[in-house]
Amino acid sequence: MSSIALMIVGLATMAAGFFFYSKFIAEKIYRLDPNFRTPAHELRDDIDFVPTNKFVLWGHHFTSVAGAAPIVGPAIAVIWGWLPAFLWVTLGTVFFAGVHDFGALWASVRNKGKSIGTLTGTVIGNRARNLFLVVIFLLLLMVNAAFAVVISNLLVANPASVIPTWGAIIVALCIGQAIYRFKVSLFWPSIIGVVVLYSLIFLGQSYPITLPESVLGLGPKAQWIILLFSYAGIASLLPVWVLLQPRDYINGLQLFVGLGLVYAAVLFSAPEIVAPAINHDVPAGTPGIVPLLFVTIACGAISGFHGLVASGTSSKQLDKETDARFVGYFGAVGEGMLALAAIIACTAGFATLGEWQGVYEKFGSGGVVAFVNGGGQILANGLGLDSGLGSTILSVMAILFAATTMDTGLRLQRYVVQEAAEIAGIKPMQKGWIATLIALGFCLALAFGAGGDGSGGMVIWPLFGTTNQLLAGLTLSILSVILIKLRRPAWFTAIPLVFLLVMSVLALLVQLKQFYEAENWLLLGMDIVILVAALWVALEAAMAMARGAEGTATVTEGGSR
């Protein structure tokens, strides 16, 4: 199988989804209004609510949602063969993720920029809202704690990536000042920023940086984790235009260039896919493809975390309601393109089937390492790049995706703490810095609760995929209730909703059995909590749909015409 054919079919499918399907959704289902006054204008505070250029906002949204997961998920899921992963990524992006991300953004904008958790209270009821917030908090905890581990591992494994990773922060601060303080147009900061970022990659190759073997008894990985959380805590409290927006924007451009390099290398080298289309000889212990494929590949096909970003930060920065199509749907397409690149790198970046089988010798192998090594080989063959430089470029891509997601994730976790404090009437916890300290405390407790190396975040990672997909299903249920109340067609959200709920509940039940047999009582308990909370919210959503004809339209309460 030619990787070029796979690349062309995949990219063409996603392009058709954006140009045709999203246009239909925008005009006929969500009915975007260019004159609607968005929360960014109505509630402008220049901290969280800031009207933003749609290209800058797309950069923030894309890099926030596209963490390490759209690389890790496909890189593991190809163990069942490249075809199932390819179909789920392309069709999932077009008919699931695009509609979900776009819809969460639209619904939040129409409701004063409320998060999808708070919106649940408005649309379904307070009990469902409280349960929904529990699921959201657990998901954000998994993302923040686990991504810190992923980033620290990459920084330790590839010291050449340290300078470009941290140098990107300084570049972003300069771009933020140039755009917002000195009113410079986007063009030159964008060009100069991308050139500087790629120059930093070459600088990093010449000056790799490693941390001391031990500081206060902590190894390099633990030191990086503490530094990452310290940075993320500060970044989450800064006004979005100072660091978050420009960092995500310039990272988005750099990462899109990186994706372009990978696809160009595929075009020039035309590597053959050595992995089987459908792998009938999976290693012992590999779980069944149904339902595990649909939770192993979460980000890259559809992800509940996207709804949190869309309704948590992006909706507060949307300048015009019509920008929601570009930011929301095309953000999902960008992530689908990353997942497709991961599939190609992890199936065509090997010389032989035997070499591929050597890496995929058990379920869970592959991952970011397979993406970096396989992609680095494709870059070397297609563009003549030194394989070490190619690997550094891809490592930096993975780190920046994960780091920007962590930036946004901690900010969102702070919002959840503040919302919970508001519901409970606890005023001190509503302050930003206290809520941030609480969020950081949970993350650090999880990270270091299992030992001094800070890798505790990976303890609950097995539940990430199922929780994430469950959350996406619940977000689709909120959208379906809103559409039914507005007397608009709800099939476009209801069909993905049913599919996702069935798959993720089945996956939770499969994992429940695994955790019980392994006597892993922590994951067993969390699995039960998530399962009960999700089923309860789904039941209340179904009841809300049933009485939808009697309800009041909720999507017109925010903004004004």
Side-chain angles (χ1 to χ4, degrees), residues 161-481:
S161 62
V162 173
I163 286 180
T165 297
W166 294 94
I169 297 170
I170 299 172
V171 174
L173 287 168
C174 294
I175 289 179
Q177 294 297 314
I179 294 174
Y180 287 99
R181 190 176 295 277
F182 299 107
K183 309 298 180 187
V184 179
S185 68
L186 267 179
F187 181 76
W188 285 113
S190 304
I191 298 294
I192 294 171
V194 170
V195 171
V196 171
L197 284 178
Y198 273 94
S199 300
L200 289 173
I201 291 176
F202 284 95
L203 190 65
Q205 280 290 103
S206 302
Y207 300 99
I209 293 177
T210 55
L211 293 182
E213 283 300 314
S214 178
V215 174
L216 299 175
L218 298 176
K221 290 182 181 178
Q223 295 171 42
W224 278 128
I225 287 173
I226 290 176
L227 288 172
L228 286 165
F229 275 126
S230 300
Y231 155 74
I234 295 169
S236 72
L237 288 169
L238 293 174
V240 290
W241 65 270
V242 172
L243 180 59
L244 185 68
Q245 269 188 4
R247 174 171 161 78
D248 290 357
Y249 171 65
I250 197 66
N251 283 352
L253 289 182
Q254 185 196 18
L255 299 170
F256 226 65
V257 171
L259 272 180
L261 289 175
V262 172
Y263 283 125
V266 169
L267 205 57
F268 288 126
S269 62
E272 286 293 313
I273 294 176
V274 298
I278 297 176
N279 190 6
H280 297 289
D281 187 25
V282 294
T286 302
I289 190 171
V290 177
L292 266 295
L293 171 70
F294 304 100
V295 297
T296 301
I297 302 180
C299 303
I302 181 170
S303 160
F305 182 72
H306 295 197
L308 301 185
V309 175
S311 66
T313 57
S314 302
S315 64
K316 297 174 175 62
Q317 302 168 58
L318 199 74
D319 186 25
K320 298 177 182 174
E321 192 182 52
T322 45
D323 293 346
R325 179 186 166 212
F326 179 78
V327 174
Y329 197 98
F330 194 60
V333 169
E335 186 174 79
M337 291 171 64
L338 176 62
L340 177 61
I343 292 172
I344 293 173
C346 296
T347 56
F350 298 87
T352 63
L353 174 60
E355 188 180 315
W356 181 83
Q357 288 172 327
V359 172
Y360 285 89
E361 59 181 2
K362 65 177 182 178
F363 183 71
S365 58
V368 176
V369 174
F371 170 74
V372 169
N373 292 341
Q377 193 58 49
I378 290 174
L379 286 174
N381 294 337
L383 303 179
L385 290 179
D386 174 78
S387 59
L389 178 61
S391 295
T392 300
I393 290 174
L394 295 177
S395 288
V396 172
M397 274 181 65
I399 290 171
L400 292 183
F401 271 124
T404 48
T405 298
M406 203 175 149
D407 283 4
T408 305
L410 201 62
R411 187 178 288 262
L412 292 172
Q413 208 170 4
R414 186 242 295 174
Y415 291 162
V416 172
V417 173
Q418 288 176 301
E419 287 178 8
E422 191 176 341
I423 293 167
I426 307 173
K427 289 193 174 177
M429 280 175 56
Q430 295 176 33
K431 293 181 179 177
W433 67 273
I434 293 180
T436 299
L437 285 178
I438 292 171
L440 276 173
F442 274 100
C443 292
L444 287 168
L446 179 60
F448 289 94
D453 65 350
S455 62
M458 302 310 289
V459 170
I460 59 173
W461 183 252
L463 279 171
F464 169 76
T466 44
T467 309
N468 199 27
Q469 300 306 73
L470 210 48
L471 192 62
L474 295 178
T475 300
L476 286 168
S477 72
I478 307 300
L479 292 174
S480 299
V481 173

Side-chain angles (χ1 to χ4, degrees), residues 75-94:
I76 291 174
V78 294
I79 200 167
W80 289 297
W82 61 262
L83 184 60
F86 172 76
L87 290 175
W88 176 227
V89 163
T90 50
L91 298 179
T93 296
V94 172

